[in-house]
Amino acid sequence: MLTFKMVLPLCLIFLLMISAALGNEGSVKYSQLSLCALNGSTVIMNVTYTHPPGVTVTQRFWVINPVQDVEPTDLYNEPGYSGRVMYLTDVQNHFPLSLSDVKKTDEQMYFFRMETDKERYQGFPGVTLSVTDLDLQIAPAEVTEGQSVVLTCKTTCNLTDPTFIWYKNNRNLTTNTNKSNEVRLQSVSREYAGSYSCAVRGYEHLHSPDQTLRVRYPPKNVSVSISPSGEIMEDSSVTLTCSSDANPPVQNYTWFKVKKSSPVGSGQSYRAVQSGQYYCEAQNKHGSERSAAVSVTINAVTVIVYVSVGLGLFGLATFLSALFWLR
């Protein structure tokens, strides 16, 4: 319980001493002397008070950083506070201050002040307000698939009973109430890679800045594409291209022909000139993976000539043209 600091002329000191001795001194109690609020949120400073009997309260308001012998300004009228101050007066002898959209410049000491038809009173010391931002830290920020990661939602001061919410690529990951400011991701896979942020329940729109988790992993989903597709004629070729998902990107591509033990080529693309089944192997420093085999068919050109006795040169040429086809 804190006593009021009376703001009075010197001529009244003797009367106040008598009042205090008679047990008629007023009192004030702040629910908390130190508060930490999230930047952009709303904070409420609770206060209850009593005053000596036989006086009438004429004004109640809050002030910041009062100066001796200077008439204080009602916080409601302070520059920079316009539209953000609300006094909650539903309960007798309570006069909480609600301050919305708090910002760093609001880091001040706030005092409750009461004026009566006889005296002026000010609760001292006041409520110290600190304003904090959310900062997400990922440790480590880059891991190999299978390792663990810790996400920590940090503040410069302790928030009052916060419930933390976690986001990945702006999608809510929170399924249960989480009072802890840490989350451990066990045995991460490539699907965990992305941008993460955190917030506090009730102020979900006040996200921390995004932080990126990078996951290293061997090649996945290795496949082969063929160009051109369809039948290919003799003396032509097809281009086979190997594709995969890997981090870091694939360093080596190796080509194999089924039933041959040694490689037939290297590089992301391979020019096949013979029929057969081909597959590729993609490799980075974390491992390798082979694709399924694809079939390549290159057809030979077939010419059938049948010469009949008695055909002239013109008839022979026509007959040969009719019997020439490709398979």
Side-chain angles (χ1 to χ4, degrees), residues 20 42 100 105 127 137 171 180 196 215 237 247 268 275 289 291:
T42 297
S100 62
T105 55
V127 178
Q137 294 186 358
R171 297 185 63 181
S180 172
Y196 289 82
V215 181
S237 65
N247 185 34
Q268 188 169 8
S275 297
E289 184 175 281
S291 71

Side-chain angles (χ1 to χ4, degrees), residues 36-42 102 130-134 155 159 200 203 206:
C36 181
L38 193 60
N39 198 344
S41 67
T42 297
V102 297
S130 300
V131 179
T132 186
D133 289 303
L134 293 177
T155 60
L159 297 171
V200 172
Y203 298 98
L206 302 176

Side-chain angles (χ1 to χ4, degrees), residues 214-226:
R214 297 176 295 276
V215 181
R216 301 179 294 258
Y217 52 92
K220 311 275 187 181
N221 302 322
V222 181
S223 62
V224 175
S225 59
I226 304 174

Side-chain angles (χ1 to χ4, degrees), residues 227-254:
S227 179
S229 58
E231 277 194 351
I232 306 299
M233 298 303 113
E234 191 175 39
D235 294 331
S236 296
S237 65
V238 295
T239 299
L240 307 179
T241 302
C242 191
S243 300
S244 71
D245 174 22
N247 185 34
V250 171
Q251 298 164 307
N252 298 304
Y253 292 95
T254 307

Side-chain angles (χ1 to χ4, degrees), residues 139-212:
E142 185 170 9
V143 295
T144 300
E145 200 170 41
Q147 293 180 333
S148 298
V149 173
V150 176
L151 309 181
T152 306
C153 197
K154 289 199 168 185
T155 60
T156 55
C157 56
N158 293 324
L159 297 171
T160 303
D161 194 30
T163 297
F164 291 94
I165 304 171
W166 307 88
Y167 297 86
K168 178 185 176 229
N169 299 332
N170 291 319
R171 297 185 63 181
N172 193 335
L173 294 177
T174 306
T175 56
N176 299 312
T177 300
N178 192 351
K179 294 292 185 180
S180 172
N181 69 329
E182 286 190 356
V183 168
R184 179 176 291 272
L185 305 179
Q186 302 282 6
S187 189
V188 301
S189 62
R190 60 195 173 102
E191 287 79 13
Y192 284 72
S195 295
Y196 289 82
S197 62
C198 62
V200 172
R201 191 173 300 284
Y203 298 98
E204 287 84 350
H205 60 293
L206 302 176
H207 285 214
S208 68
D210 287 347
Q211 298 294 333
T212 300

